[in-house]
């Protein structure tokens, strides 16, 4: 199995296939996918294309076709509308040129292309839904426009089937202009929705736009401009000032300052030296350098971020269940209301009100908008996820985004979460017969196989002191306690005192130096070798600069804070006091962290857990929302619901702020959709006629329906400004 990225730790088992078999998905209906463009079989909306990093040009998902049908339909519909409206002009100037029969025939001929060609996608989407035993907004539109057109055709071809009382001036009425104009308005609404929905993916497209199309590759001493898709792992690449870094890799020659703000949300450039990690899409600001490609194509951090965001955008939060239940009954209910409207007008007003009955029934069908109801949640989710990605906040699913807004308690790991997670070796105390150099050699040699930040600190300390490493075998990690391995045919243990005690090694916990180091907030690692206590190593891990502000803001929000760490009590309390955290659990193993989360949940709290290490993974998985530091391990990220790319706790505050904004936005959208239909449908049925003599034209109903969908989309787009 492919290993995870050692820098960002996104990859391996958590990686999402970047070129899925199904390239298209419905933004409204979860689980609807296709390998080619088309429309959703359930709701009828045009399928959208998954993001692509291969350089392949985006395929048109139907917007240009809709626009063409609208434009051609407009050519035919305008004359129909003018002819129909001429009857309302005093003196009816067209009547002297065209007889009523010619007038009606002309309207029928001109409206037919609008209905049968321009409106074909509408009827096909309705038919597709019907085949799948579903109904959608296109069902209502098809019924309304189809009924108006067919009755009009019947009025032209067989006017005698209509009772005399249903005629005006002895002629059956036609509604060709209503059918034609409604279809045009629906097409226009679809085009506008396409354009508005395209804005929801602006954050992803912005990320995609970071990747350059070519790279300067040095092979056999020759530098050539190479397409990005042909760059291979191990290639040496030259990056000049102002250029974007093409792939993930390691700086090997030169130095520079790199703008990583698009991936991390951090505006301050990061200085880079040989050996430092470089990320695709970030911008080289100053010096030129040569790098080695380590991750290309879909394996880059940028590709993984886009993939994770795209997958998350296609999920549904629990709040969507309300809308789904309502939508499942909505269309049949609207059809029933339309039929009842027609019958009531006939029963109350008789055949003389046939025209009113028909138009009101059609208006009910047209004005009802399940599209707005269906768009309410997915549009907010898509914009919210994109906004989060822009800030370096990655949500695994829509459910995690919603749940985060309900969090009442937050449990923190210490090392790598509250602190930098990039500790440094500060002090060494060796016990005879070992000396400091040998102690560091043994400790660093066994730590070679560990991912823990402390291991990196010990290895860095050994490198700085020029200590050579020895091979290690039989390596074993005692999660939350330490590590064990064999170096020079001797068993070496590094960890907490109880781990050494398990191997029959006694340590002096009362040594004055150990107490002093712990009071200074340092982590003390006990080393055993050859069955003896070899000494201790002190590691200092400063608190992250953003932690103080984040803790203060979380406390203001009334969130209960708790630290849970495997580190010793003195060190844990030292860090906690600096941050003002009063609830601390120290010297605990992963099982106890998990139990702490469970206990808080049993007390009725929604609990989030923030961590970065393997030892945090059980608690991350148990928590209602697990939050992993992007600088942590792959297992931690796999167990989490939210990943902070930067690893800055201010990202938690931003994530909670965003979750509240998204949930609020969803509720606003659902409210708009429900209120619109609650008010609009009775008016379309003729509720105002007995009181004010007002009726709603099907054309006005169509415009109102389009506006309701656009209002939901526009409201969702406001989420792009949450952090401005």
């Amino acid at each position: 199995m492919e290993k995870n990225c050692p820098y960002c730790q996104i990859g391996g088992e958590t990686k999402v296939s970047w070129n899925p078999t199904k390239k298209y998905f419905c933004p409204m209906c979860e689980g609807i996918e296709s390998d080619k463009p088309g429309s959703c079989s359930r709701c009828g909306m045009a399928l959208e294309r998954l993001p692509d990093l291969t350089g392949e040009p985006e395929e048109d998902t139907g917007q240009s076709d809709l626009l063409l049908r609208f434009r051609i339909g407009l050519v035919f519909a305008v004359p129909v509308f003018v002819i129909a409206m001429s009857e309302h002009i005093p003196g009816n100037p067209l009547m002297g040129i065209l007889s009523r029969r010619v007038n009606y025939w002309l309207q029928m001929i001109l409206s037919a292309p609008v209905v049968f060609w321009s409106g074909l996608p509408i009827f096909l989407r309705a038919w597709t839904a019907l085949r799948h035993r579903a109904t959608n907004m296109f069902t209502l539109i098809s019924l309304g426009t189809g009924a108006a057109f067919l009755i009009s055709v019947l009025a032209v071809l067989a006017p005698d089937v209509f009772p005399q009382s249903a005629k005006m001036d002895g002629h059956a009425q036609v509604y060709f202009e209503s059918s034609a104009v409604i279809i045009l308005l629906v097409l226009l609404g679809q085009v506008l929705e396409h354009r508005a929905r395209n804005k929801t993916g602006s954050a992803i497209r912005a990320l995609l736009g970071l990747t350059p199309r070519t790279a300067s590759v040095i092979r056999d001493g020759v530098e050539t401009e190479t397409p990005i898709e042909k760059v291979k792992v191990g290639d040496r690449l030259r990056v000049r000032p102002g250029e974007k870094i093409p792939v993930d890799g390691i700086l090997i020659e030169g130095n520079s300052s790199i703008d990583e703000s698009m991936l991390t949300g951090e505006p301050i450039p990061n200085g880079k030296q040989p050996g430092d990690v470089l990320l695709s899409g970030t911008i080289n600001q100053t010096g030129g350098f040569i790098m080695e490609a380590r991750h290309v194509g879909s394996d880059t951090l940028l590709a993984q971020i886009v993939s994770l965001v795209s997958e998350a955008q296609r999920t549904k939060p629990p709040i969507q269940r309300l809308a789904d239940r309502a939508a499942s009954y909505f269309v049949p209910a609207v059809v029933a209301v339309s039929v009842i409207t027609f019958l009531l007008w006939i029963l109350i007003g008789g055949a003389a009100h046939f025209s009113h009955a028909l138009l009101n029934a059609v208006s009910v069908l047209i004005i009802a908008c399940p599209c707005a109801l269906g768009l309410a949640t997915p549009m907010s989710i898509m914009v919210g996820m994109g906004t989060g990605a822009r800030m370096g906040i990655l949500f695994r699913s829509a459910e995690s985004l919603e749940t985060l807004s309900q969090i009442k308690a937050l449990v923190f790991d210490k090392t790598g979460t509250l602190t930098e997670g990039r500790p440094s070796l500060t002090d060494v105390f060796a016990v005879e017969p070992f000396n400091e150099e040998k102690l560091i050699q043994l400790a660093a040699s066994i730590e070679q196989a560990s991912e823990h930040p402390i291991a990196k600190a010990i290895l860095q300390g050994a490198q700085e002191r020029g200590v050579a490493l020895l091979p290690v075998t039989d390596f074993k990690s005692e999660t939350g306690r330490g590590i064990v391995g064999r170096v020079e045919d001797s068993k070496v243990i590094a960890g907490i005192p109880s781990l050494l005690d398990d191997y029959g090694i006694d340590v002096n916990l009362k040594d004055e130096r150990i107490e002093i180091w712990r009071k200074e907030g340092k982590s003390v690692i006990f080393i055993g070798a050859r069955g003896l206590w070899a000494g201790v190593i002190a590691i200092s891990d400063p608190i992250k600069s953003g932690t103080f502000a984040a803790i203060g803001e979380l406390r203001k929000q009334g969130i209960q804070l708790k630290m849970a760490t495997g580190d010793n009590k003195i060190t844990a309390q030292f860090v906690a006091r600096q941050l003002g955290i009063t609830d601390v659990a120290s010297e605990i193993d992963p099982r106890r962290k998990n139990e702490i989360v469970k206990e808080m949940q049993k007390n009725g709290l929604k609990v989030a857990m923030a961590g970065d290490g393997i030892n945090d993974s059980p608690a991350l998985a148990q928590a209602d929302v697990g939050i992993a530091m992007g600088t942590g391990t792959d297992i931690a990220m796999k167990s989490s619901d939210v990943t902070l790319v930067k690893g800055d706790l201010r990202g938690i505050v931003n994530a909670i702020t965003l979750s509240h904004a998204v949930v609020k936005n969803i509720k606003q959208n659902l409210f708009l959709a429900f209120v619109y239909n609650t008010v609009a449908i009775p008016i379309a049925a003729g509720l105002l006629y007995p009181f004010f003599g007002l009726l709603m034209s099907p054309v006005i109903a169509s415009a109102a329906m389009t506006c309701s969908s656009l209002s939901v989309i526009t409201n969702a787009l406001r989420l792009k400004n949450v952090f401005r």
Side-chain angles (χ1 to χ4, degrees), residues 310-531:
S310 177
E311 290 293 320
Q313 286 181 333
R314 297 160 61 197
T315 62
K316 287 186 178 183
I319 197 172
Q320 177 66 16
R321 296 167 188 164
L322 172 63
D324 289 344
R325 285 197 299 268
S328 64
Y329 299 105
F330 186 80
V331 175
V334 171
V335 173
V337 171
S338 177
V339 172
I340 293 171
T341 298
F342 181 84
L343 294 176
L344 283 176
W345 274 94
I346 294 295
L347 292 173
I348 296 173
H353 284 272
F354 178 84
S355 179
H356 289 167
L358 178 63
L359 289 177
N360 288 337
V362 170
S363 293
V364 169
L365 293 172
I366 299 300
I367 202 168
C369 188
C371 182
L373 190 61
L375 286 170
T377 296
M379 288 299 101
S380 298
I381 292 297
M382 290 182 72
V383 180
M385 293 283 189
T387 301
R390 193 175 69 241
M391 299 294 296
I393 305 167
L394 307 181
F395 293 92
R396 188 169 295 278
S397 68
E399 182 174 0
S400 61
L401 192 153
E402 179 184 344
T403 305
L404 188 59
S405 67
Q406 306 166 6
I407 292 300
K408 299 299 181 182
L410 183 56
V411 181
F412 298 98
D413 173 48
K414 181 180 73 69
T415 305
T417 303
L418 295 173
T419 62
E420 289 286 352
R422 294 191 296 271
S424 59
L425 194 158
T426 58
D427 303 278
V428 180
F429 166 53
V431 179
E432 293 184 354
F434 301 91
N435 56 38
E436 289 189 3
E437 183 178 348
K438 189 63 179 179
L439 181 66
I440 295 175
Q441 185 182 50
L442 292 173
S445 296
I446 193 175
E447 294 285 4
Q448 293 178 85
S450 176
E451 294 184 304
H452 201 281
I454 286 178
K456 297 178 182 178
I458 295 174
L459 287 168
Q460 181 68 29
Q463 184 180 356
E464 291 172 354
R465 292 165 172 78
V467 177
L469 302 184
L470 302 172
V472 59
T473 59
D474 300 332
F475 177 84
K476 182 174 67 172
S477 175
E478 297 279 350
T479 305
R481 304 181 69 209
I483 55 177
V484 180
R486 187 169 292 277
V487 179
E488 293 184 324
D489 295 325
S490 175
K491 188 175 292 285
V492 179
I493 305 98
I496 61 178
S498 64
L499 181 60
L500 274 68
D501 186 63
D502 290 346
Y503 288 88
I505 299 175
D506 294 324
V507 300
N508 181 14
L509 295 176
K510 296 182 179 180
D511 189 283
E512 184 179 345
R513 281 164 289 199
I514 297 174
E515 293 297 316
I516 293 174
W517 293 343
R518 285 177 168 176
K519 288 179 180 179
E520 292 174 348
K522 298 176 181 179
S523 296
V524 179
I525 312 300
F526 291 78
I527 312 296
R530 306 172 193 168

Side-chain angles (χ1 to χ4, degrees), residues 65-88:
D65 179 68
L66 290 173
L67 186 58
L68 177 63
R69 292 178 185 273
F70 170 78
R71 288 171 174 171
I72 293 178
L74 188 64
V75 174
F76 290 94
V78 169
V80 175
F81 184 78
V82 171
I83 294 171
M85 292 300 102
S86 67
E87 296 183 9
H88 303 285

Side-chain angles (χ1 to χ4, degrees), residues 119-156:
L120 183 61
I122 296 172
F123 292 101
L124 287 178
R125 292 176 182 183
W127 173 245
T128 302
L130 187 62
R131 286 173 51 203
H132 289 82
R133 299 180 181 180
T135 54
N136 52 45
M137 65 170 285
F138 300 102
T139 306
L140 301 180
I141 295 168
S142 298
L143 287 173
T145 57
F149 184 80
L150 291 176
I151 289 174
S152 299
V153 171
L154 191 62
V156 175

Side-chain angles (χ1 to χ4, degrees), residues 103-126:
N103 182 313
Y104 285 0
W105 269 93
L106 190 58
Q107 289 188 53
M108 183 176 69
I109 293 171
L110 289 172
S111 63
V114 182
V115 175
F116 293 110
W117 187 78
S118 294
L120 183 61
I122 296 172
F123 292 101
L124 287 178
R125 292 176 182 183

